Amino acid sequence: MKMLKNKLLAIALVSSTAFFSCTKFAQKDQNASGEPAENSKYFYYYQGKKVPLILNTGYIYVVSKKSIEGSYKNLGVITGSKKVETNKITLDQTHANPQTNGISQQAQRFTGKLKLSKKVSAEEYGITLNQMAEDPDVQFVEPVFDYPPGPQGNGNMTVSEYFYVKLQSENDVQTLYNVAASYGVSVVSQHETMPLWYVLACTNGSQSSISMANAFYQSGLFIFAEPDFMLENALASCPADTKFPLQWGSNNTGQSGGTAGIDIRGCQALDLTGTGYVIDVAVIDDAVNKSHPDLVSTLYGPIQGRDWSVSGNVSIDHGTKVSGILCARENGFGITGVAPNCRLMSYGVALGAGVTDQTTKILSTAIDLAWQQGASVINCSWYWEPASIIDDAIFRALTQGRGGIGCVVVFAAGNQDGPVAYPANRFSDILVAGAINPCGKRVSISDCANDSWGSNYGKEVDVVAPGTKISTTGWPTSGLETDHDYTDRFDGTSAAAPVVAGVAALILSKNPTLSGWDVRNIIESTAQKVGGYSYGYKSGRYNGTWHQEMGYGLVNAAAAVQATPVPSPGSTIGRLAYVDAHHTQHIN
């Protein structure tokens, strides 16, 4: 009979030589707050440091040979537990996942997150994990963790049987296989675009990918080793509320109780960019509705990106909304994007309820492919658990994109009303977008827009952009200008990021020879000091006065375009050669 060999203690107490235990999960003492004391011992390694994980005893992640809906909603083995009765288990989420995402081909299996009727003690949780692992149809049982960690966490995070390892050099492949064999794990694949990274997998339910990743890292033989986390609804967007008038962000006349003039000067910017280079902009997000009447003509040319559709679980809602803000066409109906003449490259990833294993790797692949396939600007309206494999992809885009002059990479700051989320906080060259309301203030709870969320803030925020009551393209399409084609209330820094990305595209449409750093400097130095904040000079901030809630201020699309120099023929031959090879179309 299969046994779960103290999976949770293995996570906490792993060593490079021995970390399996034949005893079942045992409860630890609780601290004064009621939180299990062993929570402080759950961790993984990121950039050489331990990252703590907080156990969530209200959920269990299961990988099964059979449908969870059909077999495990009333899991028979749980009936035998004196602590957790069957009727305490309710189905929270399931999705078939036959692993047809281009990473590996396996026999069909089913994954699901089971929800207990309430959080149980660590002892009850351990009993339930062990009993579920004994079922012959259960392949893996994994604990669930709070996300973000700590009292501010309002979501949860699961971990699959996969983990990622980065080699010291290409000569270490055999070392990887030897270590994998010693631990009884399998090497699944090599990363398509970053050859030092490999995907590994636990091969039986007694193993934990967290403990395995820790063991590989602690061996000292590899640069990084990290588990494959799955974050549900990791998109930086808040729930919709009531509808308000259209597009105050581009032209604020005081609608919806806002302050006239608090906008990005969108109309003026479009007047300044009637002709120019066509700029490829990658949207790494949910998939995009490519048949939407306001977006269909943006997806022309040989490069249209890629969708990683895992059993149909990639939504097209969030990505469609983000894309509309960025580049919806100026065509006489619907809305107009910030950069309506850019070319959209959609990289659809399951980031909502359909999130699945190896999404971390898929995100890194999407970023890496985007710059390799010619994207000048990369928009990311999402957050994630820190992962070195994503770090590498972002760094490559910033330093190797556009023939070595660097892509403009824009990330949403996040919507937790706290510190800037990862990956936005990872590199100083990332352009981090916070969100403001129509009154010119950082979005916060119960502000003038009656918001129930707050834009993240701190030392990493570079600029802010409209992020509440945003009108944009929607899904599904059922005719022009219906409630399904458009939404009047898209909220979050998810909405602010594509505004900033659109301004970057406008700058490059005037001068595509500029480096990513040049574009960033223009956007920051032309931002508007709105909101009545005390902007001041800060060490390391060289583009004017700055504030931790607003960065350099509200992006000014018109001023940014005006400040962009025209290309100087002969002065940047290397850059122009790249531009000529990748941007041969002009807007007439």
Side-chain angles (χ1 to χ4, degrees):
M1 181 178 293
K2 181 172 59 176
M3 294 286 290
L4 180 68
K5 298 183 179 180
N6 202 1
K7 184 184 294 280
L8 297 180
L9 288 180
I11 295 171
L13 305 176
V14 61
S15 72
S16 61
T17 55
F19 51 90
F20 295 121
S21 170
C22 293
T23 60
K24 291 186 177 182
F25 176 88
Q27 183 182 15
K28 299 292 181 87
D29 294 334
Q30 291 190 335
N31 56 32
S33 67
E35 179 185 50
E38 76 270 12
N39 267 337
S40 62
K41 298 181 180 179
Y42 301 139
F43 67 91
Y44 72 100
Y45 287 98
Y46 170 67
Q47 296 289 316
K49 297 181 179 180
K50 291 182 179 179
V51 178
L53 298 168
I54 305 300
L55 186 67
N56 185 328
T57 62
Y59 294 89
I60 298 171
Y61 179 73
V62 183
V63 179
S64 169
K65 298 176 184 178
K66 294 183 179 180
S67 169
I68 293 175
E69 182 76 49
S71 299
Y72 304 122
K73 186 173 183 180
N74 296 297
L75 195 64
V77 296
I78 297 179
T79 305
S81 171
K82 297 180 180 179
K83 298 294 184 180
V84 181
E85 294 82 16
T86 305
N87 60 11
K88 285 188 177 181
I89 303 293
T90 57
L91 189 68
D92 180 68
Q93 174 192 328
T94 62
H95 57 272
N97 177 13
Q99 293 295 298
T100 56
N101 56 7
I103 299 171
S104 63
Q105 296 292 331
Q106 302 177 3
Q108 179 163 324
R109 50 86 175 271
F110 296 83
T111 65
K113 190 186 65 175
L114 295 177
K115 180 180 180 181
L116 306 186
S117 61
K118 64 179 181 179
K119 288 188 175 182
V120 298
S121 70
E123 179 185 14
E124 293 173 319
Y125 192 71
I127 291 172
T128 305
L129 286 172
N130 280 287
Q131 288 193 339
M132 294 184 72
E134 293 175 355
D135 189 293
D137 289 323
V138 174
Q139 295 173 305
F140 292 94
V141 178
E142 294 285 355
V144 176
F145 302 97
D146 285 336
Y147 189 87
Q152 75 272 29
N154 58 6
N156 50 64
M157 175 174 68
T158 54
V159 60
S160 78
E161 66 267 35
Y162 297 97
F163 60 101
Y164 308 110
V165 176
K166 184 178 182 180
L167 307 185
Q168 301 275 2
S169 73
E170 295 179 353
N171 298 324
D172 293 332
V173 175
Q174 190 58 52
T175 300
L176 175 70
Y177 276 87
N178 291 342
V179 175
S182 70
Y183 284 121
V185 299
S186 63
V187 179
V188 177
S189 64
Q190 183 181 31
H191 197 287
E192 298 98 309
T193 60
M194 294 187 289
L196 292 181
W197 281 98
Y198 281 78
V199 180
L200 285 80
C202 299
T203 56
N204 64 74
S206 67
Q207 298 170 326
S208 163
S209 63
I210 297 180
S211 61
M212 288 293 176
N214 287 351
F216 271 67
Y217 179 77
Q218 289 173 347
S219 73
L221 298 173
F222 309 101
I223 298 178
F224 300 121
E226 298 169 4
D228 177 44
F229 289 111
M230 297 178 286
L231 279 65
E232 293 184 1
N233 299 313
L235 302 164
S237 179
C238 295
D241 212 336
T242 57
K243 291 186 177 182
F244 288 87
L246 302 176
Q247 293 190 275
W248 67 266
S250 291
N251 184 31
N252 191 343
T253 61
Q255 61 266 54
S256 302
T259 302
I262 300 295
D263 56 52
I264 68 166
R265 305 295 190 266
C267 298
Q268 297 91 323
L270 291 178
D271 288 339
L272 295 169
T273 55
T275 62
Y277 287 91
V278 175
I279 300 301
D280 292 330
V281 180
V283 172
I284 298 173
D285 206 285
D286 284 352
V288 173
N289 176 14
K290 299 180 178 66
S291 64
H292 194 288
D294 244 347
L295 296 174
V296 63
S297 62
T298 70
L299 289 154
Y300 61 90
I303 301 172
Q304 294 191 8
R306 174 180 173 186
D307 291 341
W308 282 269
S309 181
V310 182
S311 303
N313 288 319
V314 180
S315 168
I316 62 175
D317 178 51
H318 191 272
T320 298
K321 293 173 180 176
V322 168
S323 298
I325 293 170
L326 204 161
C327 60
R329 285 290 186 254
E330 186 178 6
N331 51 18
F333 58 83
I335 66 165
T336 301
V338 175
N341 296 313
C342 69
R343 180 163 60 186
L344 177 64
M345 301 166 63
S346 167
Y347 293 83
V349 182
L351 290 173
V355 66
T356 186
D357 54 58
Q358 299 200 47
T359 299
T360 303
K361 185 218 177 194
I362 293 171
L363 287 169
S364 70
T365 304
I367 295 169
D368 213 44
L369 286 178
W371 71 263
Q372 291 186 35
Q373 294 180 345
S376 294
V377 181
I378 301 175
N379 184 85
C380 301
S381 291
W382 45 270
Y383 57 81
W384 204 248
E385 182 71 3
S388 300
I389 196 169
I390 292 179
D391 290 351
D392 278 12
I394 295 173
F395 185 77
R396 283 157 61 90
L398 290 168
T399 58
Q400 299 180 39
R402 302 175 59 234
I405 61 177
C407 292
V408 180
V409 180
V410 181
F411 266 94
N415 307 329
Q416 291 78 39
D417 202 22
V420 172
Y422 175 88
N425 63 8
R426 183 61 183 92
F427 296 111
S428 61
D429 285 355
I430 292 173
L431 199 49
V432 180
I436 65 163
N437 59 36
C439 300
K441 299 283 189 179
R442 178 180 68 87
V443 175
S444 58
I445 297 174
S446 301
D447 59 9
C448 78
N450 198 28
D451 289 295
S452 59
W453 61 282
S455 174
N456 287 355
Y457 56 93
K459 62 182 181 180
E460 298 89 356
V461 174
D462 296 310
V463 289
V464 292
T468 185
K469 298 184 181 180
I470 304 302
S471 296
T472 184
T473 47
W475 163 260
T477 296
S478 58
L480 298 182
E481 300 192 51
T482 70
D483 289 344
H484 295 293
D485 284 324
Y486 301 93
T487 177
D488 294 335
R489 188 71 195 248
F490 182 44
D491 291 354
T493 54
S494 278
V499 173
V500 177
V503 174
L506 291 178
I507 292 171
L508 290 173
S509 72
K510 181 177 178 181
N511 186 347
T513 70
L514 296 176
S515 70
W517 185 251
D518 293 333
V519 175
R520 175 194 174 98
N521 286 339
I522 290 172
I523 290 175
E524 293 178 348
S525 62
T526 57
Q528 307 168 75
K529 313 300 179 184
V530 301
Y533 295 85
S534 298
Y535 295 82
Y537 292 99
K538 181 177 175 61
S539 176
R541 290 288 183 175
Y542 306 111
N543 288 318
T545 55
W546 179 91
H547 190 274
Q548 67 168 355
E549 294 188 59
M550 304 289 282
Y552 287 101
L554 171 61
V555 290
N556 187 329
V561 172
Q562 288 178 321
T564 300
V566 297
S568 301
S571 62
T572 53
I573 297 176
R575 294 180 182 178
L576 286 172
Y578 173 80
V579 170
D580 290 342
H582 289 76
H583 300 83
T584 57
Q585 277 186 292
H586 284 72
I587 304 164
N588 295 320

